[in-house]
Amino acid sequence: MLFHSWRKSLCNRGNFFPLIQLFALSHGHVSIFHSCASVPSKYPSFRKKPSVCKKRKVVIFREFKDVNSLNDAVCVFHQLVRKEPVPSVVELAKLLRVMINMKEYSVVISFFGEMRKLGIPFDDYILTIVMNSFCLLGCAENGFSILGVFFKSGVQFNVVTFSTLMRGLFEQNKIQDAMWLFRKLVKEKICKMDEVMFGTVMNGLCKQGHTQTALSLLRIMEQGDAKPNTVVYSIVVDALCKDQMVGAAFNLFNEMKRKGITPNVHTYSSLVDGLCKFDQWEEVRLLLDEMTHLNIFPNVHTFSMLVDAFCKKGMVEDAVEVLNVMIQKGEHPDVVTFNAIMEGYCLRGEIDVARRVLDSMIDIGVKCDIFSYNILVNGYCKQKKLDEAMHLYCEISQKGLKPDIVTYSTILQGLFEVGRVECSENLFTEMQNAGHSPDIYTCGIMLHGYLKNGHVERAMSLFHRWEKQKEDAYILIYNRGNDGFFKIQKLDKARSIFDKLYSVGLHPDVIRYNVTVNGLCIEGLVDEAKELLRKMEDNRCSPDNATSNLIVNGLLKSNKTNEAMTLLKEIIQRGFPADRVTMSLLIELLLLIGEGPFLLNMIPELHLRNEK
DNA sequence: ATAGGGTTAG
C-alpha cells in the first residue's frame, strides 16, 4: 500500500525468507556486507568526497587500514613509540582514534599511560581522545582528571575538550553537573561556544526529556555567534517527534527551511518516524516524496525506522515490503533493520520465525549483536518460556557477545514472573559479578519482583541499600512501581499522575515513603504502614496525593481490607490531601466492604475537598 | 587536519 508506486515486486509480498534468499543470490556471495563500506553508494548525496590527499596522508591511511584487531593495534603502537627521535603525535592520535572505533577504550587509556612513562610528547588531540575514552567507559570523573593533565603539562584546552566532557556527564545522567559546567563555561568565557557544544548539550537535555530547555537554548544560539545549524535543529525536531509533538516538530522544520537551513536525511527520518507513530501514512508518503525531490534519499536508518514502525504495529508483511524496497533502492539492511523484523515476529508471538531471521542474517553476513539476542530473550520471557530464554542466554557468550544490563533485566523479570525467585537472585548476583551495577530498570524489576512474590523484607532491604547510593532514582522507581504494582493499565494515566507529582515539585522523600507505604499496604502490613505515616509527619515530610492514591489502590488490591480500613479512616480524618482519582477509588472501596455509613459521614468532607 | 554533536532492546 504505502510504497505502491515504488514496488517492482521481487517476490511474494511480505514474505521474509524468499526475499532474503533472493537478495543473497543477487549479490553473488554470502558475506556481501563485509565489503559494504567500499561499495560506492548509488545516490549522489551519499557519495564519499573524492580523496584528494597528498602522498603522505595516503600512506598513513593505508597503515591503519591494516589495523583490524587489537593485536594489530598493539603492534603498530609499539612500532610507533620506538621511532627516533620522537613519533608524530598526528600518527599516534590517528591510531588511538582507530582504537576508539574498535571500542577498545581501556586500551587507549593504557596506551596513554605507556606514552607518559616513555616521555612521548602528546597534544590536545591526544588528551581529548583519552578523555573521551574515559567518558565512553562511563567514568566522566576520570575524564576530569585528564583536565589536570592539561594544566600540568601546559597544553591548552578548548571547546572540544569540554564538549567531550559534557557528553560524558550527560551519558551518566549527571544533568545538574553538566548544566553547571555549561553555565560556568559561558559565564567565565572559559572557551568559545560552538555549534557542536550546543548540539551536545541540547542532545543531552533532549535525551532526559528536557526538550523545552533545548529549544530555548536554540533561541539563545540565535543571539550569539554560533548560529543554529542543521544538526541542532534536527536534534530538537527529533526530540519533539519522540515527545509525540509532531505538530510542533513540523513548525520547527518549516522554520528552519524558511531560514535557509537545509534539512538533511536525519531531519526527514525523525519526522517520518514521528508520523509513523500516529499512523499518518499519507503524510509519510508525502514526506518521502519531498525529500527524494530534494535529492535527499532515505538511508538505512530511514528505512529501518519504517520497518520498525510497521513491526511495532504487528504489520510485519508491510515491514518486509519496505525491506524489499530498500534492497531495490540499493540500501543494505543492517543489523538494526533485522532486529526490528525480529521484534515484529516476537510481538506476534512467532519467536521461532524470529529465530530463523537471526540465522538468515548471519547467513548473509550481517553480524548479529546483543540487541538481537535481547529481542529474542524478551520474546521467550513474555511467553514464560524461561528455559528457552536461559538457553539463549548461554548462547550469547558462545557467540562471543556479552550479555548486557538489558539481557539480565529481561531474564530477571521473566524469572520473577514465573515465581522463580531463587533463580532471579542467583542471576542478579551473576550480573553484578559480571560488572553490571543495576540501573533504574533493574531496580524496578527487583523491587517489583520481590513484592509480587511476597518478599517485602527483601524488597525493602534492597530499596534501602539503593536509596543511599542513588539520589535521583526515586522518581523512576516510583513510576515503575506505580505501573507495576497496581496495573494502572494506561501508561499515560500513570504518566499523568507522575507528571503531576513532578510539577508540584514533590520532594524525593515523599516518593520514597510512598513506595514503602505502597509495598506495606499490598502485604496488608497496616500497622507498619501507619507507623511509617507517622514517621513521615515527624520528619515534616507531608504525605501527598500520591500517598493517598497508593494506599487506596493498595487496599483495593489487598484482601485484608477490613483490617486496613483503620488506616484509611485515619488518613481521611487527618485531612491528608487527596485528589479526584483517590476519591472515586475511595468510594468504590467503601461500598465494596460495606462501609456505607462511614461514607455518609465523610460526604461533607469529600465534598469540601472536591470544591478545592 | 589527528579530537567532540543527531535514529533501534528491558
Side-chain angles (χ1 to χ4, degrees), chain A residues 97 163 194 207 266 301 312 374 409:
Chain A
R97 178 66 250 215
S163 46
D194 69 357
K207 287 284 131 62
H266 283 279
H301 298 295
K312 289 241 161 67
N374 288 346
S409 307

PDB file of all heavy atoms in Angstrom, chain A residues 97 163 194 207 266 301 312 374 409, chain B:
ATOM      1  N   ARG A  97      42.489   6.946  17.659  1.00  0.00           N
ATOM      2  CA  ARG A  97      41.144   7.142  17.110  1.00  0.00           C
ATOM      3  C   ARG A  97      40.607   5.798  16.569  1.00  0.00           C
ATOM      4  O   ARG A  97      39.456   5.439  16.777  1.00  0.00           O
ATOM      5  CB  ARG A  97      41.245   8.196  16.003  1.00  0.00           C
ATOM      6  CG  ARG A  97      39.994   8.555  15.241  1.00  0.00           C
ATOM      7  CD  ARG A  97      39.013   9.229  16.111  1.00  0.00           C
ATOM      8  NE  ARG A  97      37.919   8.294  16.291  1.00  0.00           N
ATOM      9  CZ  ARG A  97      36.644   8.591  16.398  1.00  0.00           C
ATOM     10  NH1 ARG A  97      36.269   9.826  16.441  1.00  0.00           N
ATOM     11  NH2 ARG A  97      35.751   7.692  16.507  1.00  0.00           N
ATOM     12  N   SER A 163      33.325  19.850  25.304  1.00  0.00           N
ATOM     13  CA  SER A 163      32.124  19.181  24.800  1.00  0.00           C
ATOM     14  C   SER A 163      32.246  17.661  24.991  1.00  0.00           C
ATOM     15  O   SER A 163      31.246  16.982  25.200  1.00  0.00           O
ATOM     16  CB  SER A 163      31.813  19.562  23.363  1.00  0.00           C
ATOM     17  OG  SER A 163      32.934  19.514  22.557  1.00  0.00           O
ATOM     18  N   ASP A 194      30.762  26.642  20.476  1.00  0.00           N
ATOM     19  CA  ASP A 194      30.468  26.464  19.053  1.00  0.00           C
ATOM     20  C   ASP A 194      29.203  25.607  18.864  1.00  0.00           C
ATOM     21  O   ASP A 194      28.558  25.204  19.830  1.00  0.00           O
ATOM     22  CB  ASP A 194      31.680  25.880  18.312  1.00  0.00           C
ATOM     23  CG  ASP A 194      31.952  24.444  18.719  1.00  0.00           C
ATOM     24  OD1 ASP A 194      31.248  23.926  19.599  1.00  0.00           O
ATOM     25  OD2 ASP A 194      32.877  23.852  18.142  1.00  0.00           O
ATOM     26  N   LYS A 207      17.548  13.962  25.572  1.00  0.00           N
ATOM     27  CA  LYS A 207      17.520  12.562  25.977  1.00  0.00           C
ATOM     28  C   LYS A 207      16.922  12.406  27.373  1.00  0.00           C
ATOM     29  O   LYS A 207      16.437  11.352  27.742  1.00  0.00           O
ATOM     30  CB  LYS A 207      18.935  11.971  25.961  1.00  0.00           C
ATOM     31  CG  LYS A 207      19.482  11.736  24.588  1.00  0.00           C
ATOM     32  CD  LYS A 207      18.879  10.496  23.918  1.00  0.00           C
ATOM     33  CE  LYS A 207      18.411  10.787  22.514  1.00  0.00           C
ATOM     34  NZ  LYS A 207      19.484  11.206  21.609  1.00  0.00           N
ATOM     35  N   HIS A 266      18.707  13.076   8.329  1.00  0.00           N
ATOM     36  CA  HIS A 266      18.369  12.894   9.739  1.00  0.00           C
ATOM     37  C   HIS A 266      17.040  13.560  10.066  1.00  0.00           C
ATOM     38  O   HIS A 266      16.174  12.997  10.711  1.00  0.00           O
ATOM     39  CB  HIS A 266      19.446  13.496  10.638  1.00  0.00           C
ATOM     40  CG  HIS A 266      20.656  12.647  10.747  1.00  0.00           C
ATOM     41  ND1 HIS A 266      20.730  11.563  11.585  1.00  0.00           N
ATOM     42  CD2 HIS A 266      21.842  12.736  10.121  1.00  0.00           C
ATOM     43  CE1 HIS A 266      21.918  11.013  11.470  1.00  0.00           C
ATOM     44  NE2 HIS A 266      22.626  11.702  10.595  1.00  0.00           N
ATOM     45  N   HIS A 301      18.925   4.099   7.924  1.00  0.00           N
ATOM     46  CA  HIS A 301      18.225   4.500   9.155  1.00  0.00           C
ATOM     47  C   HIS A 301      16.753   4.784   8.881  1.00  0.00           C
ATOM     48  O   HIS A 301      15.875   4.349   9.613  1.00  0.00           O
ATOM     49  CB  HIS A 301      18.871   5.748   9.752  1.00  0.00           C
ATOM     50  CG  HIS A 301      20.279   5.530  10.158  1.00  0.00           C
ATOM     51  ND1 HIS A 301      20.643   4.674  11.169  1.00  0.00           N
ATOM     52  CD2 HIS A 301      21.425   6.051   9.676  1.00  0.00           C
ATOM     53  CE1 HIS A 301      21.960   4.684  11.298  1.00  0.00           C
ATOM     54  NE2 HIS A 301      22.457   5.512  10.401  1.00  0.00           N
ATOM     55  N   LYS A 312       6.190  -2.760  14.913  1.00  0.00           N
ATOM     56  CA  LYS A 312       5.613  -2.465  16.218  1.00  0.00           C
ATOM     57  C   LYS A 312       4.101  -2.508  16.169  1.00  0.00           C
ATOM     58  O   LYS A 312       3.431  -2.687  17.174  1.00  0.00           O
ATOM     59  CB  LYS A 312       6.077  -1.084  16.681  1.00  0.00           C
ATOM     60  CG  LYS A 312       7.537  -1.052  17.074  1.00  0.00           C
ATOM     61  CD  LYS A 312       7.730  -0.655  18.520  1.00  0.00           C
ATOM     62  CE  LYS A 312       9.100  -1.057  19.023  1.00  0.00           C
ATOM     63  NZ  LYS A 312      10.206  -0.322  18.399  1.00  0.00           N
ATOM     64  N   ASN A 374      18.734  -9.888  22.836  1.00  0.00           N
ATOM     65  CA  ASN A 374      17.807  -9.347  23.826  1.00  0.00           C
ATOM     66  C   ASN A 374      16.366  -9.411  23.336  1.00  0.00           C
ATOM     67  O   ASN A 374      15.444  -9.679  24.107  1.00  0.00           O
ATOM     68  CB  ASN A 374      18.178  -7.907  24.168  1.00  0.00           C
ATOM     69  CG  ASN A 374      19.447  -7.839  24.986  1.00  0.00           C
ATOM     70  OD1 ASN A 374      19.905  -8.848  25.500  1.00  0.00           O
ATOM     71  ND2 ASN A 374      20.009  -6.663  25.101  1.00  0.00           N
ATOM     72  N   SER A 409      18.215  -7.814  32.920  1.00  0.00           N
ATOM     73  CA  SER A 409      16.934  -7.301  33.416  1.00  0.00           C
ATOM     74  C   SER A 409      15.763  -8.083  32.833  1.00  0.00           C
ATOM     75  O   SER A 409      14.807  -8.409  33.529  1.00  0.00           O
ATOM     76  CB  SER A 409      16.775  -5.831  33.062  1.00  0.00           C
ATOM     77  OG  SER A 409      17.894  -5.117  33.498  1.00  0.00           O
TER      78      SER A 409
ATOM     79  P    DA B   1      46.564  19.881   5.928  1.00  0.00           P
ATOM     80  OP1  DA B   1      47.018  20.102   4.609  1.00  0.00           O
ATOM     81  OP2  DA B   1      45.575  20.740   6.507  1.00  0.00           O
ATOM     82  O5'  DA B   1      46.260  18.321   6.051  1.00  0.00           O
ATOM     83  C5'  DA B   1      45.055  17.672   6.336  1.00  0.00           C
ATOM     84  C4'  DA B   1      45.018  17.315   7.791  1.00  0.00           C
ATOM     85  O4'  DA B   1      44.723  18.514   8.517  1.00  0.00           O
ATOM     86  C3'  DA B   1      43.908  16.332   8.105  1.00  0.00           C
ATOM     87  O3'  DA B   1      44.499  15.193   8.671  1.00  0.00           O
ATOM     88  C2'  DA B   1      43.032  16.997   9.134  1.00  0.00           C
ATOM     89  C1'  DA B   1      43.781  18.244   9.503  1.00  0.00           C
ATOM     90  N9   DA B   1      42.882  19.402   9.554  1.00  0.00           N
ATOM     91  C8   DA B   1      42.658  20.355   8.612  1.00  0.00           C
ATOM     92  N7   DA B   1      41.811  21.275   8.981  1.00  0.00           N
ATOM     93  C5   DA B   1      41.451  20.901  10.260  1.00  0.00           C
ATOM     94  C6   DA B   1      40.584  21.456  11.215  1.00  0.00           C
ATOM     95  N6   DA B   1      39.901  22.574  10.993  1.00  0.00           N
ATOM     96  N1   DA B   1      40.461  20.816  12.385  1.00  0.00           N
ATOM     97  C2   DA B   1      41.153  19.687  12.600  1.00  0.00           C
ATOM     98  N3   DA B   1      41.999  19.075  11.792  1.00  0.00           N
ATOM     99  C4   DA B   1      42.101  19.736  10.632  1.00  0.00           C
ATOM    100  P    DT B   2      43.598  13.905   8.985  1.00  0.00           P
ATOM    101  OP1  DT B   2      44.432  12.811   8.477  1.00  0.00           O
ATOM    102  OP2  DT B   2      42.229  14.077   8.513  1.00  0.00           O
ATOM    103  O5'  DT B   2      43.521  13.777  10.569  1.00  0.00           O
ATOM    104  C5'  DT B   2      43.466  12.489  11.152  1.00  0.00           C
ATOM    105  C4'  DT B   2      43.762  12.589  12.628  1.00  0.00           C
ATOM    106  O4'  DT B   2      44.911  13.426  12.852  1.00  0.00           O
ATOM    107  C3'  DT B   2      42.680  13.279  13.437  1.00  0.00           C
ATOM    108  O3'  DT B   2      41.709  12.337  13.783  1.00  0.00           O
ATOM    109  C2'  DT B   2      43.433  13.747  14.664  1.00  0.00           C
ATOM    110  C1'  DT B   2      44.889  13.821  14.208  1.00  0.00           C
ATOM    111  N1   DT B   2      45.445  15.187  14.298  1.00  0.00           N
ATOM    112  C2   DT B   2      46.008  15.572  15.474  1.00  0.00           C
ATOM    113  O2   DT B   2      46.080  14.868  16.466  1.00  0.00           O
ATOM    114  N3   DT B   2      46.505  16.856  15.470  1.00  0.00           N
ATOM    115  C4   DT B   2      46.480  17.756  14.422  1.00  0.00           C
ATOM    116  O4   DT B   2      46.941  18.883  14.539  1.00  0.00           O
ATOM    117  C5   DT B   2      45.870  17.278  13.210  1.00  0.00           C
ATOM    118  C7   DT B   2      45.784  18.168  12.000  1.00  0.00           C
ATOM    119  C6   DT B   2      45.395  16.031  13.204  1.00  0.00           C
ATOM    120  P    DA B   3      40.198  12.823  13.926  1.00  0.00           P
ATOM    121  OP1  DA B   3      39.411  11.590  13.862  1.00  0.00           O
ATOM    122  OP2  DA B   3      39.926  13.955  13.047  1.00  0.00           O
ATOM    123  O5'  DA B   3      40.148  13.357  15.426  1.00  0.00           O
ATOM    124  C5'  DA B   3      40.310  12.431  16.506  1.00  0.00           C
ATOM    125  C4'  DA B   3      39.889  13.095  17.787  1.00  0.00           C
ATOM    126  O4'  DA B   3      40.559  14.357  17.899  1.00  0.00           O
ATOM    127  C3'  DA B   3      38.409  13.477  17.830  1.00  0.00           C
ATOM    128  O3'  DA B   3      37.701  12.404  18.449  1.00  0.00           O
ATOM    129  C2'  DA B   3      38.379  14.706  18.729  1.00  0.00           C
ATOM    130  C1'  DA B   3      39.813  15.173  18.764  1.00  0.00           C
ATOM    131  N9   DA B   3      39.970  16.536  18.282  1.00  0.00           N
ATOM    132  C8   DA B   3      39.816  17.002  17.007  1.00  0.00           C
ATOM    133  N7   DA B   3      40.025  18.288  16.890  1.00  0.00           N
ATOM    134  C5   DA B   3      40.330  18.683  18.174  1.00  0.00           C
ATOM    135  C6   DA B   3      40.649  19.933  18.719  1.00  0.00           C
ATOM    136  N6   DA B   3      40.719  21.052  18.008  1.00  0.00           N
ATOM    137  N1   DA B   3      40.900  19.985  20.039  1.00  0.00           N
ATOM    138  C2   DA B   3      40.829  18.864  20.761  1.00  0.00           C
ATOM    139  N3   DA B   3      40.538  17.633  20.357  1.00  0.00           N
ATOM    140  C4   DA B   3      40.301  17.611  19.047  1.00  0.00           C
ATOM    141  P    DG B   4      36.236  12.176  18.064  1.00  0.00           P
ATOM    142  OP1  DG B   4      35.879  10.874  18.629  1.00  0.00           O
ATOM    143  OP2  DG B   4      36.076  12.464  16.637  1.00  0.00           O
ATOM    144  O5'  DG B   4      35.472  13.337  18.861  1.00  0.00           O
ATOM    145  C5'  DG B   4      35.176  13.166  20.241  1.00  0.00           C
ATOM    146  C4'  DG B   4      34.197  14.226  20.681  1.00  0.00           C
ATOM    147  O4'  DG B   4      34.773  15.529  20.504  1.00  0.00           O
ATOM    148  C3'  DG B   4      32.910  14.274  19.848  1.00  0.00           C
ATOM    149  O3'  DG B   4      31.997  13.323  20.350  1.00  0.00           O
ATOM    150  C2'  DG B   4      32.424  15.689  20.131  1.00  0.00           C
ATOM    151  C1'  DG B   4      33.728  16.475  20.283  1.00  0.00           C
ATOM    152  N9   DG B   4      34.053  17.225  19.074  1.00  0.00           N
ATOM    153  C8   DG B   4      34.645  16.769  17.924  1.00  0.00           C
ATOM    154  N7   DG B   4      34.785  17.690  17.017  1.00  0.00           N
ATOM    155  C5   DG B   4      34.251  18.825  17.603  1.00  0.00           C
ATOM    156  C6   DG B   4      34.110  20.148  17.091  1.00  0.00           C
ATOM    157  O6   DG B   4      34.450  20.579  15.982  1.00  0.00           O
ATOM    158  N1   DG B   4      33.507  20.986  18.015  1.00  0.00           N
ATOM    159  C2   DG B   4      33.089  20.610  19.272  1.00  0.00           C
ATOM    160  N2   DG B   4      32.524  21.548  20.020  1.00  0.00           N
ATOM    161  N3   DG B   4      33.209  19.388  19.760  1.00  0.00           N
ATOM    162  C4   DG B   4      33.796  18.552  18.873  1.00  0.00           C
ATOM    163  P    DG B   5      31.000  12.667  19.365  1.00  0.00           P
ATOM    164  OP1  DG B   5      30.430  11.559  20.131  1.00  0.00           O
ATOM    165  OP2  DG B   5      31.651  12.497  18.052  1.00  0.00           O
ATOM    166  O5'  DG B   5      29.891  13.788  19.164  1.00  0.00           O
ATOM    167  C5'  DG B   5      29.139  14.223  20.296  1.00  0.00           C
ATOM    168  C4'  DG B   5      27.919  14.959  19.820  1.00  0.00           C
ATOM    169  O4'  DG B   5      28.306  16.177  19.160  1.00  0.00           O
ATOM    170  C3'  DG B   5      27.090  14.241  18.755  1.00  0.00           C
ATOM    171  O3'  DG B   5      26.242  13.299  19.392  1.00  0.00           O
ATOM    172  C2'  DG B   5      26.268  15.394  18.185  1.00  0.00           C
ATOM    173  C1'  DG B   5      27.234  16.566  18.322  1.00  0.00           C
ATOM    174  N9   DG B   5      27.811  16.985  17.062  1.00  0.00           N
ATOM    175  C8   DG B   5      28.876  16.432  16.379  1.00  0.00           C
ATOM    176  N7   DG B   5      29.146  17.036  15.265  1.00  0.00           N
ATOM    177  C5   DG B   5      28.202  18.049  15.194  1.00  0.00           C
ATOM    178  C6   DG B   5      27.984  19.034  14.205  1.00  0.00           C
ATOM    179  O6   DG B   5      28.608  19.217  13.162  1.00  0.00           O
ATOM    180  N1   DG B   5      26.919  19.860  14.531  1.00  0.00           N
ATOM    181  C2   DG B   5      26.148  19.765  15.667  1.00  0.00           C
ATOM    182  N2   DG B   5      25.169  20.642  15.817  1.00  0.00           N
ATOM    183  N3   DG B   5      26.352  18.850  16.605  1.00  0.00           N
ATOM    184  C4   DG B   5      27.387  18.029  16.299  1.00  0.00           C
ATOM    185  P    DG B   6      25.816  12.050  18.599  1.00  0.00           P
ATOM    186  OP1  DG B   6      25.765  10.991  19.596  1.00  0.00           O
ATOM    187  OP2  DG B   6      26.650  11.955  17.405  1.00  0.00           O
ATOM    188  O5'  DG B   6      24.344  12.347  18.108  1.00  0.00           O
ATOM    189  C5'  DG B   6      23.317  12.764  19.011  1.00  0.00           C
ATOM    190  C4'  DG B   6      22.140  13.205  18.189  1.00  0.00           C
ATOM    191  O4'  DG B   6      22.612  14.014  17.099  1.00  0.00           O
ATOM    192  C3'  DG B   6      21.365  12.066  17.552  1.00  0.00           C
ATOM    193  O3'  DG B   6      20.144  11.924  18.269  1.00  0.00           O
ATOM    194  C2'  DG B   6      21.042  12.503  16.127  1.00  0.00           C
ATOM    195  C1'  DG B   6      21.860  13.757  15.953  1.00  0.00           C
ATOM    196  N9   DG B   6      22.801  13.689  14.851  1.00  0.00           N
ATOM    197  C8   DG B   6      24.048  13.150  14.822  1.00  0.00           C
ATOM    198  N7   DG B   6      24.633  13.283  13.664  1.00  0.00           N
ATOM    199  C5   DG B   6      23.709  13.960  12.893  1.00  0.00           C
ATOM    200  C6   DG B   6      23.753  14.389  11.562  1.00  0.00           C
ATOM    201  O6   DG B   6      24.685  14.260  10.756  1.00  0.00           O
ATOM    202  N1   DG B   6      22.596  15.034  11.181  1.00  0.00           N
ATOM    203  C2   DG B   6      21.506  15.241  11.996  1.00  0.00           C
ATOM    204  N2   DG B   6      20.466  15.885  11.475  1.00  0.00           N
ATOM    205  N3   DG B   6      21.445  14.852  13.245  1.00  0.00           N
ATOM    206  C4   DG B   6      22.566  14.219  13.623  1.00  0.00           C
ATOM    207  P    DT B   7      19.814  10.577  18.794  1.00  0.00           P
ATOM    208  OP1  DT B   7      18.660  10.843  19.631  1.00  0.00           O
ATOM    209  OP2  DT B   7      21.020   9.912  19.344  1.00  0.00           O
ATOM    210  O5'  DT B   7      19.360   9.779  17.508  1.00  0.00           O
ATOM    211  C5'  DT B   7      19.141   8.377  17.608  1.00  0.00           C
ATOM    212  C4'  DT B   7      17.924   8.061  16.833  1.00  0.00           C
ATOM    213  O4'  DT B   7      18.235   8.154  15.454  1.00  0.00           O
ATOM    214  C3'  DT B   7      17.425   6.629  17.047  1.00  0.00           C
ATOM    215  O3'  DT B   7      16.458   6.598  18.070  1.00  0.00           O
ATOM    216  C2'  DT B   7      16.780   6.358  15.687  1.00  0.00           C
ATOM    217  C1'  DT B   7      17.811   7.006  14.791  1.00  0.00           C
ATOM    218  N1   DT B   7      18.990   6.134  14.560  1.00  0.00           N
ATOM    219  C2   DT B   7      18.774   4.928  13.923  1.00  0.00           C
ATOM    220  O2   DT B   7      17.676   4.583  13.535  1.00  0.00           O
ATOM    221  N3   DT B   7      19.896   4.160  13.764  1.00  0.00           N
ATOM    222  C4   DT B   7      21.171   4.447  14.161  1.00  0.00           C
ATOM    223  O4   DT B   7      22.076   3.667  13.946  1.00  0.00           O
ATOM    224  C5   DT B   7      21.335   5.717  14.834  1.00  0.00           C
ATOM    225  C7   DT B   7      22.693   6.131  15.317  1.00  0.00           C
ATOM    226  C6   DT B   7      20.242   6.484  14.994  1.00  0.00           C
ATOM    227  P    DT B   8      16.369   5.472  19.112  1.00  0.00           P
ATOM    228  OP1  DT B   8      15.264   5.806  20.011  1.00  0.00           O
ATOM    229  OP2  DT B   8      17.704   5.195  19.649  1.00  0.00           O
ATOM    230  O5'  DT B   8      15.952   4.242  18.175  1.00  0.00           O
ATOM    231  C5'  DT B   8      15.029   3.313  18.659  1.00  0.00           C
ATOM    232  C4'  DT B   8      15.153   2.023  17.888  1.00  0.00           C
ATOM    233  O4'  DT B   8      16.412   1.927  17.224  1.00  0.00           O
ATOM    234  C3'  DT B   8      15.106   0.787  18.783  1.00  0.00           C
ATOM    235  O3'  DT B   8      13.736   0.402  18.927  1.00  0.00           O
ATOM    236  C2'  DT B   8      15.866  -0.251  17.968  1.00  0.00           C
ATOM    237  C1'  DT B   8      16.856   0.572  17.179  1.00  0.00           C
ATOM    238  N1   DT B   8      18.259   0.512  17.659  1.00  0.00           N
ATOM    239  C2   DT B   8      19.082  -0.506  17.228  1.00  0.00           C
ATOM    240  O2   DT B   8      18.691  -1.378  16.481  1.00  0.00           O
ATOM    241  N3   DT B   8      20.366  -0.472  17.697  1.00  0.00           N
ATOM    242  C4   DT B   8      20.901   0.455  18.550  1.00  0.00           C
ATOM    243  O4   DT B   8      22.064   0.391  18.896  1.00  0.00           O
ATOM    244  C5   DT B   8      19.993   1.502  18.985  1.00  0.00           C
ATOM    245  C7   DT B   8      20.469   2.550  19.910  1.00  0.00           C
ATOM    246  C6   DT B   8      18.740   1.481  18.527  1.00  0.00           C
ATOM    247  P    DA B   9      13.367  -0.844  19.607  1.00  0.00           P
ATOM    248  OP1  DA B   9      13.722  -1.976  18.725  1.00  0.00           O
ATOM    249  OP2  DA B   9      12.007  -0.772  20.174  1.00  0.00           O
ATOM    250  O5'  DA B   9      14.497  -0.740  20.700  1.00  0.00           O
ATOM    251  C5'  DA B   9      14.477  -1.201  22.023  1.00  0.00           C
ATOM    252  C4'  DA B   9      14.434  -2.691  22.218  1.00  0.00           C
ATOM    253  O4'  DA B   9      15.680  -3.327  21.844  1.00  0.00           O
ATOM    254  C3'  DA B   9      14.178  -3.018  23.666  1.00  0.00           C
ATOM    255  O3'  DA B   9      12.925  -3.642  23.782  1.00  0.00           O
ATOM    256  C2'  DA B   9      15.293  -3.990  24.045  1.00  0.00           C
ATOM    257  C1'  DA B   9      16.336  -3.772  23.003  1.00  0.00           C
ATOM    258  N9   DA B   9      17.343  -2.771  23.372  1.00  0.00           N
ATOM    259  C8   DA B   9      17.219  -1.408  23.351  1.00  0.00           C
ATOM    260  N7   DA B   9      18.313  -0.778  23.722  1.00  0.00           N
ATOM    261  C5   DA B   9      19.206  -1.800  24.002  1.00  0.00           C
ATOM    262  C6   DA B   9      20.535  -1.802  24.443  1.00  0.00           C
ATOM    263  N6   DA B   9      21.229  -0.682  24.686  1.00  0.00           N
ATOM    264  N1   DA B   9      21.140  -2.998  24.618  1.00  0.00           N
ATOM    265  C2   DA B   9      20.442  -4.115  24.375  1.00  0.00           C
ATOM    266  N3   DA B   9      19.192  -4.241  23.940  1.00  0.00           N
ATOM    267  C4   DA B   9      18.629  -3.025  23.785  1.00  0.00           C
ATOM    268  P    DG B  10      11.900  -3.039  24.788  1.00  0.00           P
ATOM    269  OP1  DG B  10      10.631  -3.656  24.433  1.00  0.00           O
ATOM    270  OP2  DG B  10      12.045  -1.571  24.824  1.00  0.00           O
ATOM    271  O5'  DG B  10      12.358  -3.602  26.190  1.00  0.00           O
ATOM    272  C5'  DG B  10      12.300  -5.014  26.422  1.00  0.00           C
ATOM    273  C4'  DG B  10      12.838  -5.245  27.803  1.00  0.00           C
ATOM    274  O4'  DG B  10      14.153  -4.699  27.871  1.00  0.00           O
ATOM    275  C3'  DG B  10      12.048  -4.497  28.883  1.00  0.00           C
ATOM    276  O3'  DG B  10      11.020  -5.343  29.378  1.00  0.00           O
ATOM    277  C2'  DG B  10      13.093  -4.249  29.951  1.00  0.00           C
ATOM    278  C1'  DG B  10      14.409  -4.241  29.186  1.00  0.00           C
ATOM    279  N9   DG B  10      14.969  -2.897  29.097  1.00  0.00           N
ATOM    280  C8   DG B  10      14.641  -1.894  28.230  1.00  0.00           C
ATOM    281  N7   DG B  10      15.346  -0.810  28.401  1.00  0.00           N
ATOM    282  C5   DG B  10      16.182  -1.119  29.454  1.00  0.00           C
ATOM    283  C6   DG B  10      17.174  -0.336  30.101  1.00  0.00           C
ATOM    284  O6   DG B  10      17.515   0.820  29.858  1.00  0.00           O
ATOM    285  N1   DG B  10      17.787  -1.039  31.126  1.00  0.00           N
ATOM    286  C2   DG B  10      17.484  -2.329  31.486  1.00  0.00           C
ATOM    287  N2   DG B  10      18.177  -2.845  32.511  1.00  0.00           N
ATOM    288  N3   DG B  10      16.573  -3.075  30.898  1.00  0.00           N
ATOM    289  C4   DG B  10      15.958  -2.400  29.885  1.00  0.00           C
TER     290       DG B  10
END
